[in-house]
Amino acid sequence: MRLALEQAHRARSAGEVPVGAVLVGGDRVIAGGANRPIASNDPTAHAEIEALRSGGVALGSYRLTDTTLYVTLEPCPMCAMAVVHARVRRLVFGAWDPRAGAAGSVTDIFALPGLNHRVDVFGGVLMEECGSLLREFFAERRG
């Protein structure tokens, strides 16, 4: 999660919402991603999607089986479904997102019946640190 926080700080430095993600396989970091929808003019360029895309390239497959994705913020519905479709084994996230979270806050994509893949989900890891980074960012924006 500390590496995901580093990615979040990169996003913040670039003027993006500070969310970071790191994809790990075994004891090896496969890929990282930071939010960049503003810089890329791409509404899908969330940290999770960036890490999954880079991970797919690194592994030569869109199926990221036996991997863990660490994210500083509870994924939105788009990112949650991408995690399922990528066949990620485990998702670990920091702060809960009461406005758009799809791992239990607003909805729980991972509990939908009929999905062909199940992801082990763990939330609240380094929650205070992840949450304070976001709170500080938005407090600065509001001035």
Side-chain angles (χ1 to χ4, degrees):
M1 187 60 76
R2 295 265 177 227
L3 294 175
L5 275 163
E6 287 178 19
Q7 292 287 336
H9 283 284
R10 286 189 188 125
R12 182 180 184 171
S13 295
E16 303 275 0
V17 174
V19 179
V22 174
L23 184 69
V24 175
D27 59 358
R28 175 174 82 100
V29 174
I30 297 167
N35 258 9
R36 48 183 234 98
I38 297 167
S40 66
N41 297 309
D42 179 356
T44 69
H46 291 192
E48 300 93 312
I49 302 298
E50 295 294 300
L52 294 174
R53 285 178 179 155
S54 295
V57 170
L59 296 176
S61 175
Y62 77 95
R63 291 193 175 188
L64 305 174
T65 55
D66 296 324
T67 61
T68 299
L69 183 65
Y70 294 88
V71 188
T72 59
L73 181 65
E74 179 183 6
C76 71
M78 173 186 69
C79 293
M81 280 308 298
V83 168
V84 171
H85 285 299
R87 311 301 200 276
V88 170
R89 175 182 286 182
R90 181 175 297 115
L91 168 71
V92 180
F93 67 88
W96 294 89
D97 185 352
R99 295 177 189 243
S105 288
V106 173
T107 190
D108 191 350
I109 294 292
F110 302 102
L112 291 174
L115 293 179
N116 65 344
H117 177 72
R118 293 287 167 209
V119 178
D120 295 327
V121 179
F122 303 92
V125 176
L126 296 181
M127 178 173 59
E128 235 356 90
E129 194 169 342
C130 294
S132 68
L133 181 61
L134 287 157
R135 284 189 299 277
E136 290 167 11
F137 175 82
F138 287 112
E140 289 170 8
R141 292 277 201 195
R142 292 182 196 113

mmCIF file of all heavy atoms in Angstrom, residues 83-126:
data_model
loop_
_atom_site.group_PDB
_atom_site.id
_atom_site.type_symbol
_atom_site.label_atom_id
_atom_site.label_comp_id
_atom_site.label_asym_id
_atom_site.label_seq_id
_atom_site.Cartn_x
_atom_site.Cartn_y
_atom_site.Cartn_z
ATOM 1 N N VAL A 83 -11.435 -4.905 -12.515
ATOM 2 C CA VAL A 83 -10.700 -5.835 -11.652
ATOM 3 C C VAL A 83 -11.264 -7.250 -11.808
ATOM 4 O O VAL A 83 -10.514 -8.218 -11.920
ATOM 5 C CB VAL A 83 -10.749 -5.367 -10.177
ATOM 6 C CG1 VAL A 83 -10.251 -6.440 -9.227
ATOM 7 C CG2 VAL A 83 -9.939 -4.083 -10.001
ATOM 8 N N VAL A 84 -12.578 -7.364 -11.845
ATOM 9 C CA VAL A 84 -13.220 -8.674 -12.040
ATOM 10 C C VAL A 84 -12.844 -9.242 -13.399
ATOM 11 O O VAL A 84 -12.424 -10.398 -13.506
ATOM 12 C CB VAL A 84 -14.757 -8.575 -11.898
ATOM 13 C CG1 VAL A 84 -15.433 -9.880 -12.315
ATOM 14 C CG2 VAL A 84 -15.147 -8.205 -10.469
ATOM 15 N N HIS A 85 -12.995 -8.437 -14.467
ATOM 16 C CA HIS A 85 -12.702 -8.917 -15.818
ATOM 17 C C HIS A 85 -11.234 -9.298 -15.996
ATOM 18 O O HIS A 85 -10.924 -10.202 -16.781
ATOM 19 C CB HIS A 85 -13.100 -7.879 -16.863
ATOM 20 C CG HIS A 85 -14.570 -7.800 -17.072
ATOM 21 N ND1 HIS A 85 -15.335 -8.850 -17.509
ATOM 22 C CD2 HIS A 85 -15.428 -6.777 -16.863
ATOM 23 C CE1 HIS A 85 -16.603 -8.495 -17.579
ATOM 24 N NE2 HIS A 85 -16.693 -7.235 -17.179
ATOM 25 N N ALA A 86 -10.345 -8.640 -15.264
ATOM 26 C CA ALA A 86 -8.917 -8.952 -15.347
ATOM 27 C C ALA A 86 -8.554 -10.206 -14.553
ATOM 28 O O ALA A 86 -7.430 -10.671 -14.616
ATOM 29 C CB ALA A 86 -8.088 -7.768 -14.853
ATOM 30 N N ARG A 87 -9.504 -10.718 -13.802
ATOM 31 C CA ARG A 87 -9.294 -11.933 -12.985
ATOM 32 C C ARG A 87 -8.252 -11.733 -11.885
ATOM 33 O O ARG A 87 -7.502 -12.639 -11.536
ATOM 34 C CB ARG A 87 -8.889 -13.139 -13.824
ATOM 35 C CG ARG A 87 -9.674 -13.488 -15.073
ATOM 36 C CD ARG A 87 -11.104 -13.763 -14.877
ATOM 37 N NE ARG A 87 -11.730 -14.517 -15.968
ATOM 38 C CZ ARG A 87 -12.206 -13.996 -17.099
ATOM 39 N NH1 ARG A 87 -12.049 -12.715 -17.345
ATOM 40 N NH2 ARG A 87 -12.836 -14.752 -17.973
ATOM 41 N N VAL A 88 -8.192 -10.507 -11.355
ATOM 42 C CA VAL A 88 -7.308 -10.229 -10.225
ATOM 43 C C VAL A 88 -7.775 -11.089 -9.049
ATOM 44 O O VAL A 88 -8.971 -11.226 -8.813
ATOM 45 C CB VAL A 88 -7.347 -8.720 -9.865
ATOM 46 C CG1 VAL A 88 -6.636 -8.428 -8.560
ATOM 47 C CG2 VAL A 88 -6.759 -7.899 -11.014
ATOM 48 N N ARG A 89 -6.854 -11.661 -8.329
ATOM 49 C CA ARG A 89 -7.220 -12.536 -7.213
ATOM 50 C C ARG A 89 -7.664 -11.751 -5.979
ATOM 51 O O ARG A 89 -8.626 -12.096 -5.319
ATOM 52 C CB ARG A 89 -6.055 -13.435 -6.819
ATOM 53 C CG ARG A 89 -6.398 -14.276 -5.558
ATOM 54 C CD ARG A 89 -5.275 -15.128 -5.103
ATOM 55 N NE ARG A 89 -5.152 -16.243 -6.042
ATOM 56 C CZ ARG A 89 -4.280 -17.213 -5.926
ATOM 57 N NH1 ARG A 89 -3.419 -17.218 -4.931
ATOM 58 N NH2 ARG A 89 -4.216 -18.183 -6.790
ATOM 59 N N ARG A 90 -6.924 -10.679 -5.667
ATOM 60 C CA ARG A 90 -7.183 -9.954 -4.418
ATOM 61 C C ARG A 90 -7.098 -8.441 -4.664
ATOM 62 O O ARG A 90 -6.217 -7.970 -5.373
ATOM 63 C CB ARG A 90 -6.140 -10.359 -3.381
ATOM 64 C CG ARG A 90 -6.285 -9.700 -2.026
ATOM 65 C CD ARG A 90 -5.276 -10.255 -1.019
ATOM 66 N NE ARG A 90 -5.523 -11.668 -0.793
ATOM 67 C CZ ARG A 90 -4.676 -12.658 -1.125
ATOM 68 N NH1 ARG A 90 -3.519 -12.400 -1.656
ATOM 69 N NH2 ARG A 90 -4.988 -13.909 -0.870
ATOM 70 N N LEU A 91 -8.036 -7.727 -4.046
ATOM 71 C CA LEU A 91 -8.032 -6.268 -4.067
ATOM 72 C C LEU A 91 -7.865 -5.783 -2.639
ATOM 73 O O LEU A 91 -8.598 -6.211 -1.748
ATOM 74 C CB LEU A 91 -9.350 -5.739 -4.638
ATOM 75 C CG LEU A 91 -9.598 -4.239 -4.462
ATOM 76 C CD1 LEU A 91 -8.671 -3.436 -5.374
ATOM 77 C CD2 LEU A 91 -11.050 -3.906 -4.730
ATOM 78 N N VAL A 92 -6.900 -4.908 -2.424
ATOM 79 C CA VAL A 92 -6.665 -4.303 -1.114
ATOM 80 C C VAL A 92 -6.743 -2.798 -1.317
ATOM 81 O O VAL A 92 -6.031 -2.249 -2.158
ATOM 82 C CB VAL A 92 -5.275 -4.695 -0.562
ATOM 83 C CG1 VAL A 92 -5.034 -4.054 0.796
ATOM 84 C CG2 VAL A 92 -5.132 -6.208 -0.485
ATOM 85 N N PHE A 93 -7.642 -2.140 -0.576
ATOM 86 C CA PHE A 93 -7.747 -0.694 -0.732
ATOM 87 C C PHE A 93 -7.677 0.016 0.602
ATOM 88 O O PHE A 93 -7.901 -0.573 1.650
ATOM 89 C CB PHE A 93 -9.000 -0.292 -1.525
ATOM 90 C CG PHE A 93 -10.313 -0.555 -0.844
ATOM 91 C CD1 PHE A 93 -10.875 0.383 -0.002
ATOM 92 C CD2 PHE A 93 -10.988 -1.738 -1.077
ATOM 93 C CE1 PHE A 93 -12.097 0.142 0.613
ATOM 94 C CE2 PHE A 93 -12.206 -1.987 -0.467
ATOM 95 C CZ PHE A 93 -12.765 -1.043 0.383
ATOM 96 N N GLY A 94 -7.371 1.307 0.531
ATOM 97 C CA GLY A 94 -7.193 2.123 1.724
ATOM 98 C C GLY A 94 -8.477 2.770 2.200
ATOM 99 O O GLY A 94 -9.212 2.216 3.002
ATOM 100 N N ALA A 95 -8.764 3.961 1.694
ATOM 101 C CA ALA A 95 -9.917 4.737 2.145
ATOM 102 C C ALA A 95 -11.205 4.241 1.495
ATOM 103 O O ALA A 95 -11.215 3.860 0.326
ATOM 104 C CB ALA A 95 -9.704 6.212 1.811
ATOM 105 N N TRP A 96 -12.271 4.283 2.255
ATOM 106 C CA TRP A 96 -13.609 3.985 1.738
ATOM 107 C C TRP A 96 -14.104 5.219 0.994
ATOM 108 O O TRP A 96 -13.764 6.348 1.348
ATOM 109 C CB TRP A 96 -14.551 3.634 2.883
ATOM 110 C CG TRP A 96 -14.175 2.350 3.562
ATOM 111 C CD1 TRP A 96 -13.310 2.202 4.614
ATOM 112 C CD2 TRP A 96 -14.613 1.041 3.226
ATOM 113 N NE1 TRP A 96 -13.199 0.882 4.947
ATOM 114 C CE2 TRP A 96 -13.993 0.141 4.123
ATOM 115 C CE3 TRP A 96 -15.482 0.527 2.270
ATOM 116 C CZ2 TRP A 96 -14.208 -1.227 4.072
ATOM 117 C CZ3 TRP A 96 -15.703 -0.840 2.222
ATOM 118 C CH2 TRP A 96 -15.064 -1.706 3.112
ATOM 119 N N ASP A 97 -14.932 5.015 -0.031
ATOM 120 C CA ASP A 97 -15.480 6.123 -0.812
ATOM 121 C C ASP A 97 -17.001 6.131 -0.687
ATOM 122 O O ASP A 97 -17.692 5.434 -1.435
ATOM 123 C CB ASP A 97 -15.068 6.002 -2.274
ATOM 124 C CG ASP A 97 -15.504 7.187 -3.115
ATOM 125 O OD1 ASP A 97 -16.253 8.044 -2.608
ATOM 126 O OD2 ASP A 97 -15.097 7.246 -4.287
ATOM 127 N N PRO A 98 -17.536 6.920 0.254
ATOM 128 C CA PRO A 98 -18.973 6.908 0.487
ATOM 129 C C PRO A 98 -19.808 7.503 -0.646
ATOM 130 O O PRO A 98 -21.016 7.352 -0.662
ATOM 131 C CB PRO A 98 -19.135 7.745 1.774
ATOM 132 C CG PRO A 98 -17.927 8.605 1.827
ATOM 133 C CD PRO A 98 -16.822 7.824 1.156
ATOM 134 N N ARG A 99 -19.167 8.149 -1.617
ATOM 135 C CA ARG A 99 -19.897 8.750 -2.737
ATOM 136 C C ARG A 99 -19.946 7.867 -3.980
ATOM 137 O O ARG A 99 -20.888 7.949 -4.751
ATOM 138 C CB ARG A 99 -19.279 10.086 -3.115
ATOM 139 C CG ARG A 99 -19.415 11.121 -2.028
ATOM 140 C CD ARG A 99 -18.721 12.394 -2.433
ATOM 141 N NE ARG A 99 -18.683 13.304 -1.309
ATOM 142 C CZ ARG A 99 -19.282 14.478 -1.295
ATOM 143 N NH1 ARG A 99 -19.947 14.883 -2.329
ATOM 144 N NH2 ARG A 99 -19.194 15.235 -0.230
ATOM 145 N N ALA A 100 -18.909 7.067 -4.189
ATOM 146 C CA ALA A 100 -18.852 6.295 -5.435
ATOM 147 C C ALA A 100 -18.238 4.909 -5.264
ATOM 148 O O ALA A 100 -17.981 4.235 -6.252
ATOM 149 C CB ALA A 100 -18.066 7.069 -6.491
ATOM 150 N N GLY A 101 -18.009 4.468 -4.040
ATOM 151 C CA GLY A 101 -17.337 3.193 -3.808
ATOM 152 C C GLY A 101 -18.174 1.995 -4.222
ATOM 153 O O GLY A 101 -19.362 1.917 -3.915
ATOM 154 N N ALA A 102 -17.530 1.063 -4.896
ATOM 155 C CA ALA A 102 -18.223 -0.121 -5.401
ATOM 156 C C ALA A 102 -17.722 -1.413 -4.776
ATOM 157 O O ALA A 102 -17.846 -2.490 -5.365
ATOM 158 C CB ALA A 102 -18.097 -0.183 -6.917
ATOM 159 N N ALA A 103 -17.151 -1.309 -3.562
ATOM 160 C CA ALA A 103 -16.720 -2.507 -2.835
ATOM 161 C C ALA A 103 -17.423 -2.554 -1.482
ATOM 162 O O ALA A 103 -16.910 -3.101 -0.523
ATOM 163 C CB ALA A 103 -15.209 -2.514 -2.668
ATOM 164 N N GLY A 104 -18.595 -1.928 -1.414
ATOM 165 C CA GLY A 104 -19.383 -1.964 -0.196
ATOM 166 C C GLY A 104 -19.968 -0.647 0.252
ATOM 167 O O GLY A 104 -20.948 -0.623 0.975
ATOM 168 N N SER A 105 -19.396 0.482 -0.173
ATOM 169 C CA SER A 105 -19.891 1.779 0.296
ATOM 170 C C SER A 105 -21.227 2.164 -0.341
ATOM 171 O O SER A 105 -22.213 2.360 0.353
ATOM 172 C CB SER A 105 -18.873 2.885 0.038
ATOM 173 O OG SER A 105 -17.788 2.753 0.927
ATOM 174 N N VAL A 106 -21.257 2.266 -1.662
ATOM 175 C CA VAL A 106 -22.487 2.605 -2.382
ATOM 176 C C VAL A 106 -23.133 1.340 -2.926
ATOM 177 O O VAL A 106 -24.334 1.157 -2.857
ATOM 178 C CB VAL A 106 -22.204 3.604 -3.523
ATOM 179 C CG1 VAL A 106 -23.443 3.837 -4.374
ATOM 180 C CG2 VAL A 106 -21.685 4.915 -2.952
ATOM 181 N N THR A 107 -22.296 0.496 -3.465
ATOM 182 C CA THR A 107 -22.716 -0.798 -3.986
ATOM 183 C C THR A 107 -21.554 -1.767 -3.784
ATOM 184 O O THR A 107 -20.473 -1.363 -3.380
ATOM 185 C CB THR A 107 -23.113 -0.696 -5.482
ATOM 186 O OG1 THR A 107 -23.725 -1.922 -5.900
ATOM 187 C CG2 THR A 107 -21.916 -0.409 -6.371
ATOM 188 N N ASP A 108 -21.804 -3.046 -4.062
ATOM 189 C CA ASP A 108 -20.715 -4.022 -3.963
ATOM 190 C C ASP A 108 -20.697 -4.871 -5.225
ATOM 191 O O ASP A 108 -21.359 -5.899 -5.313
ATOM 192 C CB ASP A 108 -20.862 -4.895 -2.719
ATOM 193 C CG ASP A 108 -19.618 -5.738 -2.455
ATOM 194 O OD1 ASP A 108 -18.718 -5.787 -3.325
ATOM 195 O OD2 ASP A 108 -19.551 -6.356 -1.385
ATOM 196 N N ILE A 109 -19.957 -4.395 -6.200
ATOM 197 C CA ILE A 109 -19.807 -5.104 -7.472
ATOM 198 C C ILE A 109 -19.300 -6.522 -7.244
ATOM 199 O O ILE A 109 -19.749 -7.462 -7.896
ATOM 200 C CB ILE A 109 -18.824 -4.348 -8.407
ATOM 201 C CG1 ILE A 109 -19.387 -2.996 -8.817
ATOM 202 C CG2 ILE A 109 -18.419 -5.198 -9.611
ATOM 203 C CD1 ILE A 109 -20.596 -3.011 -9.710
ATOM 204 N N PHE A 110 -18.408 -6.679 -6.289
ATOM 205 C CA PHE A 110 -17.749 -7.961 -6.071
ATOM 206 C C PHE A 110 -18.694 -9.024 -5.509
ATOM 207 O O PHE A 110 -18.379 -10.211 -5.547
ATOM 208 C CB PHE A 110 -16.533 -7.774 -5.160
ATOM 209 C CG PHE A 110 -15.552 -6.800 -5.733
ATOM 210 C CD1 PHE A 110 -15.491 -5.497 -5.267
ATOM 211 C CD2 PHE A 110 -14.716 -7.162 -6.780
ATOM 212 C CE1 PHE A 110 -14.610 -4.572 -5.810
ATOM 213 C CE2 PHE A 110 -13.825 -6.254 -7.332
ATOM 214 C CZ PHE A 110 -13.779 -4.956 -6.850
ATOM 215 N N ALA A 111 -19.848 -8.613 -5.007
ATOM 216 C CA ALA A 111 -20.822 -9.560 -4.451
ATOM 217 C C ALA A 111 -21.962 -9.869 -5.427
ATOM 218 O O ALA A 111 -22.874 -10.611 -5.072
ATOM 219 C CB ALA A 111 -21.390 -9.005 -3.148
ATOM 220 N N LEU A 112 -21.908 -9.309 -6.629
ATOM 221 C CA LEU A 112 -22.983 -9.553 -7.582
ATOM 222 C C LEU A 112 -23.065 -11.033 -7.931
ATOM 223 O O LEU A 112 -22.040 -11.658 -8.241
ATOM 224 C CB LEU A 112 -22.765 -8.742 -8.864
ATOM 225 C CG LEU A 112 -22.915 -7.238 -8.748
ATOM 226 C CD1 LEU A 112 -22.529 -6.565 -10.070
ATOM 227 C CD2 LEU A 112 -24.341 -6.868 -8.362
ATOM 228 N N PRO A 113 -24.256 -11.592 -7.893
ATOM 229 C CA PRO A 113 -24.398 -12.995 -8.272
ATOM 230 C C PRO A 113 -24.180 -13.152 -9.782
ATOM 231 O O PRO A 113 -24.408 -12.229 -10.547
ATOM 232 C CB PRO A 113 -25.835 -13.332 -7.885
ATOM 233 C CG PRO A 113 -26.545 -12.020 -7.890
ATOM 234 C CD PRO A 113 -25.519 -10.978 -7.518
ATOM 235 N N GLY A 114 -23.707 -14.289 -10.174
ATOM 236 C CA GLY A 114 -23.549 -14.575 -11.589
ATOM 237 C C GLY A 114 -22.217 -14.193 -12.192
ATOM 238 O O GLY A 114 -21.956 -14.521 -13.349
ATOM 239 N N LEU A 115 -21.372 -13.481 -11.448
ATOM 240 C CA LEU A 115 -20.053 -13.158 -11.997
ATOM 241 C C LEU A 115 -19.237 -14.443 -12.117
ATOM 242 O O LEU A 115 -19.316 -15.323 -11.259
ATOM 243 C CB LEU A 115 -19.315 -12.156 -11.105
ATOM 244 C CG LEU A 115 -19.896 -10.755 -11.032
ATOM 245 C CD1 LEU A 115 -19.066 -9.892 -10.082
ATOM 246 C CD2 LEU A 115 -19.970 -10.104 -12.401
ATOM 247 N N ASN A 116 -18.435 -14.524 -13.165
ATOM 248 C CA ASN A 116 -17.652 -15.742 -13.386
ATOM 249 C C ASN A 116 -16.310 -15.739 -12.667
ATOM 250 O O ASN A 116 -15.526 -16.664 -12.819
ATOM 251 C CB ASN A 116 -17.437 -15.977 -14.876
ATOM 252 C CG ASN A 116 -16.598 -14.889 -15.517
ATOM 253 O OD1 ASN A 116 -16.408 -13.823 -14.945
ATOM 254 N ND2 ASN A 116 -16.101 -15.154 -16.710
ATOM 255 N N HIS A 117 -16.052 -14.698 -11.894
ATOM 256 C CA HIS A 117 -14.798 -14.623 -11.144
ATOM 257 C C HIS A 117 -15.054 -13.914 -9.821
ATOM 258 O O HIS A 117 -15.786 -12.931 -9.767
ATOM 259 C CB HIS A 117 -13.728 -13.859 -11.938
ATOM 260 C CG HIS A 117 -12.436 -13.684 -11.199
ATOM 261 N ND1 HIS A 117 -11.571 -14.731 -10.968
ATOM 262 C CD2 HIS A 117 -11.883 -12.595 -10.618
ATOM 263 C CE1 HIS A 117 -10.527 -14.273 -10.276
ATOM 264 N NE2 HIS A 117 -10.693 -12.991 -10.051
ATOM 265 N N ARG A 118 -14.461 -14.403 -8.778
ATOM 266 C CA ARG A 118 -14.578 -13.797 -7.451
ATOM 267 C C ARG A 118 -13.237 -13.204 -7.044
ATOM 268 O O ARG A 118 -12.175 -13.809 -7.252
ATOM 269 C CB ARG A 118 -15.004 -14.834 -6.402
ATOM 270 C CG ARG A 118 -16.394 -15.344 -6.615
ATOM 271 C CD ARG A 118 -17.410 -14.287 -6.246
ATOM 272 N NE ARG A 118 -18.723 -14.671 -6.743
ATOM 273 C CZ ARG A 118 -19.661 -13.822 -7.086
ATOM 274 N NH1 ARG A 118 -19.463 -12.536 -6.988
ATOM 275 N NH2 ARG A 118 -20.814 -14.249 -7.523
ATOM 276 N N VAL A 119 -13.298 -12.024 -6.467
ATOM 277 C CA VAL A 119 -12.119 -11.311 -6.003
ATOM 278 C C VAL A 119 -12.189 -11.229 -4.485
ATOM 279 O O VAL A 119 -13.233 -10.884 -3.931
ATOM 280 C CB VAL A 119 -12.076 -9.882 -6.596
ATOM 281 C CG1 VAL A 119 -10.867 -9.109 -6.078
ATOM 282 C CG2 VAL A 119 -12.090 -9.930 -8.121
ATOM 283 N N ASP A 120 -11.105 -11.560 -3.807
ATOM 284 C CA ASP A 120 -11.028 -11.352 -2.361
ATOM 285 C C ASP A 120 -10.773 -9.864 -2.135
ATOM 286 O O ASP A 120 -9.816 -9.313 -2.672
ATOM 287 C CB ASP A 120 -9.879 -12.163 -1.741
ATOM 288 C CG ASP A 120 -10.095 -13.665 -1.854
ATOM 289 O OD1 ASP A 120 -11.253 -14.097 -1.805
ATOM 290 O OD2 ASP A 120 -9.090 -14.387 -1.982
ATOM 291 N N VAL A 121 -11.623 -9.224 -1.326
ATOM 292 C CA VAL A 121 -11.548 -7.775 -1.143
ATOM 293 C C VAL A 121 -11.285 -7.445 0.322
ATOM 294 O O VAL A 121 -11.964 -7.969 1.209
ATOM 295 C CB VAL A 121 -12.856 -7.094 -1.602
ATOM 296 C CG1 VAL A 121 -12.788 -5.591 -1.381
ATOM 297 C CG2 VAL A 121 -13.149 -7.421 -3.060
ATOM 298 N N PHE A 122 -10.306 -6.565 0.543
ATOM 299 C CA PHE A 122 -9.955 -6.110 1.887
ATOM 300 C C PHE A 122 -9.855 -4.596 1.866
ATOM 301 O O PHE A 122 -9.037 -4.036 1.140
ATOM 302 C CB PHE A 122 -8.617 -6.706 2.337
ATOM 303 C CG PHE A 122 -8.590 -8.204 2.313
ATOM 304 C CD1 PHE A 122 -8.142 -8.881 1.190
ATOM 305 C CD2 PHE A 122 -9.038 -8.936 3.397
ATOM 306 C CE1 PHE A 122 -8.136 -10.262 1.147
ATOM 307 C CE2 PHE A 122 -9.033 -10.321 3.368
ATOM 308 C CZ PHE A 122 -8.588 -10.986 2.241
ATOM 309 N N GLY A 123 -10.672 -3.923 2.656
ATOM 310 C CA GLY A 123 -10.665 -2.467 2.693
ATOM 311 C C GLY A 123 -10.174 -1.926 4.020
ATOM 312 O O GLY A 123 -10.152 -2.627 5.026
ATOM 313 N N GLY A 124 -9.763 -0.670 4.014
ATOM 314 C CA GLY A 124 -9.359 0.011 5.233
ATOM 315 C C GLY A 124 -7.886 -0.100 5.571
ATOM 316 O O GLY A 124 -7.481 0.281 6.663
ATOM 317 N N VAL A 125 -7.052 -0.564 4.634
ATOM 318 C CA VAL A 125 -5.615 -0.696 4.880
ATOM 319 C C VAL A 125 -4.956 0.679 4.732
ATOM 320 O O VAL A 125 -5.090 1.321 3.698
ATOM 321 C CB VAL A 125 -4.982 -1.728 3.919
ATOM 322 C CG1 VAL A 125 -3.475 -1.781 4.105
ATOM 323 C CG2 VAL A 125 -5.616 -3.094 4.117
ATOM 324 N N LEU A 126 -4.297 1.133 5.783
ATOM 325 C CA LEU A 126 -3.728 2.489 5.836
ATOM 326 C C LEU A 126 -4.803 3.530 5.520
ATOM 327 O O LEU A 126 -4.545 4.540 4.860
ATOM 328 C CB LEU A 126 -2.524 2.640 4.905
ATOM 329 C CG LEU A 126 -1.298 1.790 5.216
ATOM 330 C CD1 LEU A 126 -0.180 2.086 4.219
ATOM 331 C CD2 LEU A 126 -0.804 2.014 6.627
#
